[in-house]
Amino acid sequence: MTLPSAKDKRQAVERMFDRIAPSYDRMNTLISMGTHRRWKRLAVDATGARPGSVIVDLACGTGDLACEALARGAEAIGIDVSESMLARARRRAPHARFLRADAENPPLADRSVDAWVCGFALRN
């Protein structure tokens, strides 16, 4: 197996996450032994999310952090390159806004959000 060229990397990553979307939540629970749920709650708590605030879940996957922001009354925006992940996120959190975009160039205006959170993107 060879790594994709820099030019092909984005498409390779997108295809990989589209392929693993059906088992992604179960895999994260197994890998973290369930601890990811707690630290995601703590991460959103640390933003001070409250009604009226805007929280972005960057590389949102199936939208765990966006769901946590919504639970605190905040507006949640999820950004991901994988349409399969976003489809799952939209079903879980229909009141959030989900955008298909690259985390390196999010389509949001400067100073339009109160906080950014990111779950497993650095791991990946």
Side-chain angles (χ1 to χ4, degrees):
M1 181 174 145
T2 60
L3 292 176
S5 68
K7 180 179 145 231
D8 298 326
K9 184 177 178 182
R10 180 191 161 131
Q11 287 180 325
V13 169
E14 185 180 326
R15 281 192 306 267
M16 178 189 69
F17 281 100
D18 281 341
R19 189 176 62 251
I20 67 170
S23 60
Y24 186 74
D25 290 325
R26 185 175 54 250
M27 183 177 60
N28 281 338
T29 298
L30 289 171
I31 289 170
S32 73
M33 295 188 292
T35 62
H36 70 103
R37 291 184 188 103
R38 181 173 185 270
W39 66 254
K40 287 176 181 175
R41 280 193 305 275
L42 293 171
V44 175
D45 284 346
T47 69
R50 64 190 180 292
S53 59
V54 179
I55 309 298
V56 175
D57 181 357
L58 195 61
C60 68
T62 60
D64 286 349
L65 292 164
C67 288
E68 289 292 334
L70 288 172
R72 288 154 183 78
E75 178 185 342
I77 301 170
I79 297 174
D80 205 288
V81 296
S82 168
E83 187 55 46
S84 293
M85 292 287 192
L86 290 170
R88 290 179 175 280
R90 287 182 185 110
R91 284 193 297 273
R92 289 180 68 198
H95 299 294
R97 194 168 91 193
F98 291 101
L99 308 171
R100 186 171 184 210
D102 193 314
E104 293 178 355
N105 191 20
L108 300 170
D110 289 347
R111 300 178 189 216
S112 64
V113 301
D114 296 297
W116 299 77
V117 291
C118 184
F120 287 122
L122 295 176
R123 172 197 73 185
N124 298 332

